[in-house]
Amino acid sequence: MVENVSHVQHYSKKLDMKISVPISATPVCISNIGVIICGSDGFINMYSEDLSDIKWRHRLNSRIYATPTVLFKKKQIIVGDVDGTVVVLDYEGKRISRIANGKCIYNNIVTNEEETIAYFNTFERKLYCVSIDKLDVLWVANLPTPWFKTQESFAANRDPYAAPVITDQGTILSANGNKISAFTKKGIRVWEIELPAMIRATPALCFRSKRGVAPCVNGKVVVFDYDLGKTLMIEDLQGRIVNSPGLSNMSCCVGDLSGNLLCIDLNELSAKWRVNVGAGLDHGSVTSTPAGDFVFITDRGNAICLSYEDGSFIWESMQTIGLPNQSTKLNQSLNITNNGKMYASSYDGYVYSYIFEEEKYEAYPDYK
């Protein structure tokens, strides 16, 4: 159920009117602090948790597409924009450090467990490693060149879209073209896996099983051993995949643009269930509720929740609340907090918070 809504707008002096600000980044809630909302106007906004007011704003050079990363130990936030500017802010909006590399950042920035090092992919096939305190560049790795680069394709430099991921041993994995590359903390390449097709989604890693899941654009879902760099199994969704997979209790769920969803048991290396929800999963990611069930946004514009156990339907969101000229369609990914609230946003500038009816359940272990 929708609890609150905020419409992010920009006032244009030239047009003398308010314009909706598209929200591509997922809203991120910091309990008892606020909700970070980043827009295509380049502003990082810290809203109150009920979305009623803006506590502070900080502007970057360009549009923000990547979801901000929270450094909970340091009580800081790290954000990058499509111009290649990266900033570290504290919870009050004060800038700690800044770097500008001129390379487009399209997906999330990830950090090591100690929150001292950050990694991010940029267009033109680069993986950056920077220190968080000063944002000094420690090393830059070249990622594999996709086949269409040799044809001088217009889109040849618009890769990778996927974010890097870090294993429990600190190895950094980056997906680009039709390969996944693994790097040590010093930037040394240790292995590569060749995939059946290009990958646009961020791989998911299950630490307990030591396995990763990489969905390809041709519908093939590759499960691999991330310590050995070895492919273990391949399943076929038979539809284009640009949505990132989600994890829950050693199972992984991924969906395609045709509305097909597949859940894989990463322990047994077998397909657990398959369903079709009648609407495709576009750019974004599957996430999970505190109870362990899978949640995602479809191109119908609503969030849908399916049972972790068998893929059965549990609920679907509705954003119709009677506002004038309101767009009710959601985009991208959801953020579900530990206190049971859910946040979602849209390309039309609307940000929603949701509440859930309390019920008794036995939560699944939070295995990542």
Side-chain angles (χ1 to χ4, degrees):
M1 177 66 67
V2 172
E3 179 189 35
N4 289 299
V5 61
S6 179
H7 190 193
V8 182
Q9 296 177 302
H10 170 76
Y11 176 73
S12 170
K13 291 183 179 179
K14 185 175 181 179
L15 299 175
D16 190 27
M17 63 182 294
K18 290 182 177 181
I19 302 171
S20 297
V21 176
I23 307 297
S24 299
T26 302
V28 176
C29 179
I30 307 174
S31 296
N32 301 317
I33 301 294
V35 182
I36 312 166
I37 299 171
C38 300
S40 290
D41 57 354
F43 276 103
I44 305 167
N45 305 283
M46 177 66 85
Y47 276 71
S48 59
E49 289 186 70
D50 62 2
L51 304 179
S52 62
D53 66 310
I54 301 176
K55 296 184 176 182
W56 54 258
R57 310 181 82 195
H58 183 97
R59 189 168 192 176
L60 297 187
N61 292 346
S62 189
R63 181 165 62 103
I64 302 172
Y65 195 91
T67 298
T69 300
V70 180
L71 311 175
F72 289 101
K73 295 177 182 177
K74 293 191 170 187
K75 297 184 178 180
Q76 295 173 352
I77 306 154
I78 183 167
V79 186
D81 68 13
V82 298
D83 249 4
T85 300
V86 179
V87 295
V88 177
L89 309 174
D90 65 18
Y91 283 178
E92 300 298 322
K94 178 183 177 181
R95 193 174 80 187
I96 306 299
S97 54
R98 177 184 182 274
I99 189 176
N101 61 30
K103 306 292 185 182
C104 178
I105 300 172
Y106 228 70
N107 218 309
N108 303 3
I109 297 171
V110 298
T111 69
N112 62 352
E113 189 175 351
E114 296 78 22
E115 296 182 351
T116 56
I117 305 294
Y119 304 93
F120 55 89
N121 289 332
T122 69
F123 279 5
E124 301 184 22
R125 305 172 304 283
K126 303 291 184 183
L127 167 63
Y128 279 80
C129 171
V130 301
S131 66
I132 289 178
D133 288 340
K134 296 183 179 180
L135 286 182
D136 293 329
V137 176
L138 303 179
W139 52 262
V140 181
N142 293 316
L143 300 176
T145 302
W147 65 267
F148 49 82
K149 173 62 176 176
T150 61
Q151 307 299 317
E152 297 301 327
S153 165
F154 179 76
N157 291 323
R158 294 180 58 81
D159 211 32
Y161 278 81
V165 289
I166 305 175
T167 72
D168 53 343
Q169 300 300 313
T171 304
I172 305 96
L173 309 187
S174 185
N176 183 69
N178 68 330
K179 292 181 180 179
I180 298 178
S181 305
F183 298 88
T184 66
K185 298 174 184 179
K186 294 185 177 181
I188 301 171
R189 195 186 312 263
V190 289
W191 57 255
E192 270 187 1
I193 293 177
E194 186 163 348
L195 302 172
M198 284 186 60
I199 180 169
R200 305 276 285 191
T202 300
L205 302 182
C206 176
F207 291 169
R208 191 181 180 198
S209 65
K210 301 283 187 180
R211 287 161 183 170
V213 180
C216 304
V217 295
N218 68 346
K220 298 293 193 297
V221 182
V222 179
V223 180
F224 60 95
D225 184 311
Y226 63 66
D227 278 344
L228 302 177
K230 178 182 177 182
T231 298
L232 301 175
M233 68 174 291
I234 299 177
E235 288 284 336
D236 193 354
L237 262 181
Q238 300 183 336
R240 180 177 172 85
I241 305 175
V242 294
N243 195 270
S244 298
L247 295 170
S248 177
N249 195 33
M250 292 187 68
S251 291
C252 182
C253 179
V254 62
D256 66 22
L257 283 168
S258 298
N260 300 309
L261 282 103
L262 164 70
C263 182
I264 298 174
D265 186 320
L266 296 177
N267 186 42
E268 300 293 334
L269 287 179
S270 61
K272 189 172 182 178
W273 48 259
R274 293 173 181 261
V275 298
N276 186 289
V277 293
L281 281 69
D282 207 328
H283 291 85
S285 62
V286 178
T287 187
S288 59
T289 68
D293 298 310
F294 293 112
V295 188
F296 48 88
I297 293 173
T298 70
D299 56 18
R300 188 161 58 230
N302 293 337
I304 294 178
C305 180
L306 300 183
S307 167
Y308 152 84
E309 293 288 354
D310 56 12
S312 58
F313 176 84
I314 297 179
W315 54 259
E316 182 171 357
S317 73
M318 182 185 70
Q319 292 71 241
T320 303
I321 52 179
L323 296 178
N325 303 316
Q326 176 201 1
S327 170
T328 62
K329 186 175 182 178
L330 302 178
N331 301 98
Q332 290 293 330
S333 307
L334 301 157
N335 176 250
I336 300 178
T337 67
N338 291 331
N339 60 8
K341 285 191 177 183
M342 182 174 80
Y343 292 89
S345 60
S346 75
Y347 295 152
D348 296 302
Y350 287 91
V351 181
Y352 299 90
S353 66
Y354 302 78
I355 53 175
F356 297 91
E357 182 181 3
E358 292 187 10
E359 64 174 308
K360 295 180 180 180
Y361 59 82
E362 181 179 351
Y364 295 114
D366 186 20
Y367 295 125
K368 298 295 185 183

